[in-house]
């Protein structure tokens, strides 16, 4: 009897233990952000290449032997500064010869004028024939024309002699010399001697695909993009080492023709380059601000998890549990991802404790951008079910939900 009573008591005790519900997991306090539609800059990113704003090839304009180089390679030179000296001996001799011919022509012209002056009164007195006077006058005019011709030849010889000192056609940075002392340079071949590039300011050229350009135009026409006619487009550069170039540029040229091979349109931006950080030929990335996107959704970079299948965020579901939501991402602007799909205004994104959370875990959210704080401890599920009308209305006021929820 004692054993039987003991077994009955044990069964009753075990039955009582089985009827108790397991303890509810404790909700994790989290901070959240209510999704809002807003206007954000529309950023277009393109690769580009730096080009000098002006480039001059310094070539030989006379034939001769290079005597000396007069500049330091790789330094800045000013317009008109001597760069090379070509042996002027041959051209100076030609100049002297032409100058002597000019003096002889001037003497001949002076004598012809004197003959005309002597003949003029004689022809009036019929002392000489009109034919002789006309011949003297023609000889005088011919001598004057000969003087003018030789003066032009002397001017040309002077120019040729001046070209033996090769000067910089523009101000800028001179590259290495393409010829050395003792080299023969040719006027006929236009021997390249060096190059000069202006690198302050500079141009950066980009290529935009026609399809993307047409998409931007359609978005502007539909009102999705807020972009006024005549508005200047700012460009921000990222250098090859990943650093940002601090001086923004402005687009100053957009080509109207399409490259048949690549299907792209060329555009160009002008950048100030006071510290010479941008070098011609360097490849950079440009971010163009083409107006503002109306009613866009932007979320902080830290709340987006990037995986193999794309991006996702953690949301607070209507029953205050964690819910994962895949999203499609656009450009990143000022540390925020532009979400093109997957989120709606009113969604509540979890912004902290992301490493501890898993879908289905209960949370106690505190919105950062809500006008009124939520209670720290959520009501049990049964209570929320029984009082859906009263508590549902209070929750909608403190933490708005999306239409989908």
């Amino acid at each position: 009897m004692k054993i039987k009573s003991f077994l009955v008591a044990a069964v009753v005790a075990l039955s009582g233990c089985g009827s108790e519900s397991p303890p509810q997991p404790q909700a994790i306090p989290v901070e959240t952000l209510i999704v809002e539609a807003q206007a954000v800059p529309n950023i277009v990113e393109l690769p580009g290449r730096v080009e000098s704003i002006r480039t001059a090839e310094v070539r030989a304009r006379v034939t001769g032997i290079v005597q000396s180089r007069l500049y330091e390679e790789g330094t800045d030179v000013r317009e008109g500064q001597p760069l090379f000296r070509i042996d002027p001996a041959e051209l100076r001799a030609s100049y002297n010869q032409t100058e002597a011919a000019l003096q002889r022509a001037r003497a001949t012209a002076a004598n012809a004028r004197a003959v005309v002056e002597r003949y003029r009164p004689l022809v009036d007195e019929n002392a000489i024939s009109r034919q002789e006077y006309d011949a003297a006058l023609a000889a005088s005019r011919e001598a004057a024309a000969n003087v003018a011709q030789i003066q032009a030849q002397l001017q040309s010889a002077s120019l040729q002699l001046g070209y033996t000192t090769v000067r910089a056609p523009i101000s800028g940075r001179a590259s290495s010399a393409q010829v050395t002392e003792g080299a023969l340079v040719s006027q006929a071949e236009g021997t390249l001697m060096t190059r000069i590039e202006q690198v302050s300011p500079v141009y950066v050229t980009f290529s935009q695909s026609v399809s993307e350009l047409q998409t931007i135009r359609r978005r502007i026409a539909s009102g999705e993009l807020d972009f006024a006619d005549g508005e200047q487009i700012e460009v921000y550069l990222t250098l090859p080492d990943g650093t940002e170039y601090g001086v923004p540029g402005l687009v100053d040229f957009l080509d109207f023709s399409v490259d048949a091979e690549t299907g792209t349109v060329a555009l160009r931006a002008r950048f100030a380059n006071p510290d010479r950080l941008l070098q011609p030929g360097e490849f950079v990335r440009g971010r163009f601000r083409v107006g503002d996107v109306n009613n866009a959704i932007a979320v902080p970079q830290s709340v987006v998890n990037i995986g193999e299948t794309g991006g996702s965020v953690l949301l607070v579901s209507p029953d205050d549990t964690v819910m994962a939501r895949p999203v499609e991402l656009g450009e990143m602007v000022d540390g925020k991802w532009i979400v093109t799909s997957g989120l709606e205004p009113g969604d509540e994104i979890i912004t902290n404790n992301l490493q501890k959370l898993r879908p289905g875990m209960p949370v106690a959210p505190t919105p950062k951008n809500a006008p009124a704080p939520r209670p720290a401890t959520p009501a049990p599920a049964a209570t929320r079910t029984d009082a859906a009308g009263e508590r549902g209305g209070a929750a909608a006021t403190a933490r708005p939900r999306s239409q989908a929820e």
Side-chain angles (χ1 to χ4, degrees):
M1 293 296 294
K2 292 182 179 181
I3 294 175
K4 184 176 181 181
S5 300
F6 177 77
L7 292 175
V8 172
V11 171
V12 172
L14 291 174
S15 300
C17 293
S19 63
E20 294 180 359
S21 61
Q24 296 290 335
Q26 186 176 4
I28 301 176
V30 293
E31 295 181 351
T32 60
L33 186 67
I34 305 299
V35 174
E36 297 176 346
Q38 56 185 311
V40 297
N42 179 52
I43 303 300
V44 178
E45 188 169 347
L46 297 173
R49 188 170 67 90
V50 180
E51 295 180 354
S52 57
I53 195 170
R54 294 173 69 189
T55 301
E57 293 185 342
V58 181
R59 296 182 177 273
R61 303 181 69 175
V62 294
T63 299
I65 303 297
V66 178
Q67 283 188 331
S68 59
R69 173 172 54 85
L70 306 176
Y71 77 102
E72 186 176 351
E73 296 171 304
T75 61
D76 292 336
V77 296
R78 65 184 183 278
E79 182 178 354
Q81 177 179 335
L83 303 178
F84 297 91
R85 179 171 288 114
I86 300 173
D87 185 5
E90 183 177 352
L91 292 174
R92 182 173 289 113
S94 177
Y95 176 85
N96 293 336
Q97 181 180 3
T98 306
E99 187 177 28
L102 178 60
Q103 293 176 359
R104 182 171 60 252
R106 285 173 174 170
T108 302
N111 183 60
R113 286 194 302 271
V115 171
V116 171
E117 292 300 324
R118 288 195 302 268
Y119 280 6
R120 182 175 289 116
L122 296 177
V123 73
D124 293 337
E125 298 174 358
N126 293 324
I128 61 172
S129 66
R130 188 74 185 182
Q131 183 178 3
E132 289 178 314
Y133 175 77
D134 291 342
L137 186 59
S140 176
R141 290 173 178 173
E142 182 180 0
N146 189 38
V147 169
Q149 180 181 5
I150 298 178
Q151 281 180 333
Q153 293 174 355
L154 183 65
Q155 184 178 7
S156 176
S158 177
L159 288 175
Q160 294 293 313
L161 184 60
Y163 292 155
T164 58
T165 300
V166 182
R167 301 180 182 273
I170 62 173
S171 298
R173 178 166 295 178
S175 64
S176 60
Q178 302 298 307
V179 294
T180 59
E181 291 83 351
L184 174 65
V185 294
S186 171
Q187 176 187 14
E189 297 177 359
T191 306
L192 177 64
M193 305 185 76
T194 188
R195 290 183 177 88
I196 300 176
E197 295 180 322
Q198 285 188 352
V199 293
S200 180
V202 294
Y203 287 136
V204 180
T205 56
F206 304 89
S207 295
Q208 172 76 28
S209 69
V210 177
S211 60
E212 293 178 357
L213 186 60
Q214 292 175 345
T215 299
I216 292 174
R217 289 174 174 170
R218 284 194 296 267
R219 294 175 67 189
I220 293 175
S222 66
E224 182 182 351
L225 281 181
D226 185 9
F227 185 79
D229 291 339
E231 181 179 348
Q232 290 187 317
I233 300 177
E234 290 186 337
V235 188
Y236 296 84
L237 292 183
T238 302
L239 301 179
D241 60 358
T243 59
E244 298 294 328
Y245 185 64
V247 183
L250 294 175
V251 174
D252 68 346
F253 171 75
L254 174 62
D255 201 350
F256 288 99
S257 61
V258 180
D259 190 321
E261 296 182 358
T262 61
T264 59
V265 175
L267 62 152
R268 184 184 69 193
R270 183 186 179 109
F271 289 83
N273 192 27
D275 299 327
R276 310 295 177 87
L277 293 179
L278 300 177
Q279 298 296 325
E282 184 179 21
F283 286 93
V284 294
R285 295 198 66 83
R287 290 177 290 112
F288 297 73
R289 178 170 180 169
V290 187
D292 295 323
V293 182
N294 297 319
N295 299 321
I297 293 177
V299 298
Q301 179 184 2
S302 58
V303 305
V304 180
N305 179 35
I306 306 296
E308 295 181 357
T309 58
S312 64
V313 296
L314 296 181
L315 303 179
V316 179
S317 65
D319 60 353
D320 283 347
T321 57
V322 179
M323 175 177 58
R325 176 82 60 82
V327 293
E328 291 186 10
L329 304 176
E331 300 291 336
M332 182 178 292
V333 180
D334 297 332
K336 293 184 178 181
W337 283 110
I338 305 300
V339 179
T340 58
S341 66
L343 291 178
E344 296 291 338
D347 287 342
E348 192 170 5
I349 302 176
I350 301 174
T351 61
N352 68 335
N353 292 329
L354 300 178
Q355 301 298 328
K356 302 178 182 179
L357 301 178
R358 297 292 182 271
M361 296 178 64
V363 289
T366 302
K368 293 181 180 180
N369 56 341
R374 285 180 49 87
T377 304
T383 304
R384 292 176 61 89
T385 304
D386 296 338
E390 297 179 359
R391 299 187 61 83
T397 302
R399 181 163 50 93
R401 298 291 185 181
S402 66
Q403 296 179 359
E405 295 176 352

